[in-house]
Amino acid sequence: MPAYRRRTVLLAAVTALTALTATACGFGGSDGAGSTDASGKTVVRIAYQAIPNADLVVKNQRLLEKALPDVSVKWVKFDSGGDVNTAVIAGSVDLGLAGTSPVTKGLSAPLNIPYKVLWIHDLIGDNEALVAKKGIDSVKDLAGKKIATPFGSTSHYSLLAALKSAGVPADKVQVLDLQPQDALAAWKRGDIDAAYVWTPTLDELTKDGKVLTTSRRVADAGKPTADLGIVTNAFAESHPEIVTAWLGAQDRAVAQTRSDPAKAAASIGKELNVSPADARRQLGQLVLLSAKEQAGPAYLGRPGAPGRLAASLRDAAGFLKDQKAVDAVPPLAAFQQALATKELSRAAG
């Protein structure tokens, strides 16, 4: 899709989403610093996705609500990080989950979204993969084929990286912008030859498809991806106590996945409507990090010493620039400044 058309679609989506959120949640858009409900409680609006990580443990077990009884916590489900970006632009989300690719796009022109990276929900492994119809045995065999993936997602980024690594020019395949469930429907109709998506849709595709590569393999080849927690700059400044509580809840949930994985999997299974066994298997496909680990130099880092995640985001920006998905590659300092090391340090101790 040409850049001008993408921006036109984005603007229309922003307008529609603003109106929808105002109607559904009982409050309109804000200046990014949060809203209040009818009782005067501060409202925190959290974007989440159906990804089997500790974020679903926080939601299902109401860890944040228990930590903040005087705050109204609103969870809003999204299908992709691109949709989360749209909601942030609309002033409808304060905190949220999005992959490295949409976050990189959000921090780059033309979006330049005023948010920062607060948390690493997971390092993406085998839970995102490229699946093809039987008879297609390698990524090279995709030349001339139709492939579905949500544009602007980590899957989209990994797909393009996999094609490039296999020597398949981007103009030799037809990449369709479809959300996971839409990709599954297209797969069942026979409209596409392959799809790069994440669980639980991925599990449905693999029932009669062949996995050509996974995001773990793409990462091993030098293009890692992750699901990141973002917070708007305005909300982080106005409500540091909520941000600290959110980080604490996430850290406790990660600890539970290690100390009591059965309990964590049961909560994740309820949110995904899958069995605890399936949820535990899906959870095992991801790498989760504690707050202390994320404060290390390989990830977000500490105040005055931003971690190497900033360099990974800049590398992703360079790749997206080559694909004409962003206007320019921001300097490394811009991504370093976008790491919420001060906020994380309060939780990491």
Side-chain angles (χ1 to χ4, degrees):
M1 183 185 293
Y4 73 88
R5 188 175 172 196
R6 278 201 301 270
R7 293 174 195 170
T8 301
V9 170
L10 177 62
L11 179 60
V14 168
T15 303
L17 185 58
T18 302
L20 177 62
T21 305
T23 301
C25 298
F27 49 83
S30 73
D31 59 1
S35 302
T36 55
D37 63 13
S39 66
K41 282 187 176 182
T42 296
V43 177
V44 56
R45 301 156 303 175
I46 304 173
Y48 77 100
Q49 296 186 52
I51 297 173
N53 57 31
D55 197 35
L56 295 187
V57 175
V58 174
K59 178 181 182 296
N60 182 262
Q61 297 181 15
R62 297 179 60 83
L63 299 184
L64 188 59
E65 288 86 343
K66 293 172 183 177
L68 297 170
D70 295 326
V71 172
S72 178
V73 180
K74 304 290 185 181
W75 292 86
V76 186
K77 186 178 180 180
F78 291 85
D79 291 326
S80 72
D83 291 342
V84 174
N85 275 346
T86 300
V88 175
I89 293 170
S92 303
V93 164
D94 306 304
L95 284 152
L97 181 154
T100 47
S101 183
V103 169
T104 299
K105 289 185 71 173
L107 293 171
S108 306
L111 297 184
N112 293 318
I113 301 175
Y115 60 28
K116 60 181 73 176
V117 179
L118 186 68
W119 185 251
I120 300 174
H121 283 289
D122 58 75
L123 303 178
I124 297 173
D126 299 322
N127 68 307
E128 287 192 11
L130 174 59
V131 183
K133 295 285 188 178
K134 295 293 177 62
I136 300 174
D137 298 319
S138 69
V139 177
K140 287 185 177 181
D141 294 340
L142 290 173
K145 305 297 185 181
K146 294 181 180 179
I147 312 169
T149 195
F151 280 13
S153 67
T154 51
S155 285
H156 187 203
Y157 172 80
S158 295
L159 169 63
L160 297 177
L163 291 171
K164 185 175 182 179
S165 179
V168 180
D171 61 357
K172 296 301 182 182
V173 297
Q174 185 178 354
V175 182
L176 306 177
D177 182 12
L178 295 178
Q179 297 297 330
Q181 285 300 312
D182 296 326
L184 178 60
W187 173 277
K188 291 180 177 179
R189 292 193 303 267
D191 293 344
I192 58 175
D193 303 294
Y196 206 129
V197 294
W198 51 84
T199 53
T201 303
L202 175 62
D203 292 337
E204 294 298 315
L205 297 178
T206 56
K207 289 179 179 178
D208 61 346
K210 177 182 177 66
V211 174
L212 302 184
T213 192
T214 69
S215 291
R216 188 185 300 276
R217 296 181 211 165
V218 174
D220 290 342
K223 298 294 181 182
T225 51
D227 289 311
L228 305 175
I230 55 92
V231 62
T232 66
N233 294 346
F235 190 87
E237 182 177 348
S238 299
H239 300 287
E241 74 290 350
I242 295 178
V243 172
T244 299
W246 182 88
L247 284 166
Q250 294 291 339
D251 198 36
R252 290 194 298 278
V254 169
Q256 185 182 121
T257 66
R258 298 175 178 181
S259 65
D260 194 350
K263 181 178 180 180
S267 291
I268 292 171
K270 290 176 183 177
E271 292 296 323
L272 297 179
N273 195 29
V274 301
S275 70
D278 281 346
R280 189 163 181 174
R281 176 182 57 80
Q282 292 179 23
L283 177 63
Q285 295 173 333
L286 299 168
V287 177
L288 308 188
L289 303 168
S290 68
K292 185 175 181 179
E293 290 166 338
Q294 295 192 34
Y299 303 109
L300 270 75
R302 291 188 173 275
R308 292 194 291 276
L309 176 61
S312 295
L313 293 174
R314 190 172 190 275
D315 287 346
F319 189 85
L320 293 172
K321 176 64 168 59
D322 290 342
Q323 301 298 322
K324 298 180 173 56
V326 299
D327 289 351
V329 179
L332 177 61
F335 290 109
Q336 291 175 330
Q337 292 168 7
L339 301 184
T341 56
K342 179 181 69 175
E343 289 81 0
L344 179 61
S345 67
R346 296 198 294 261

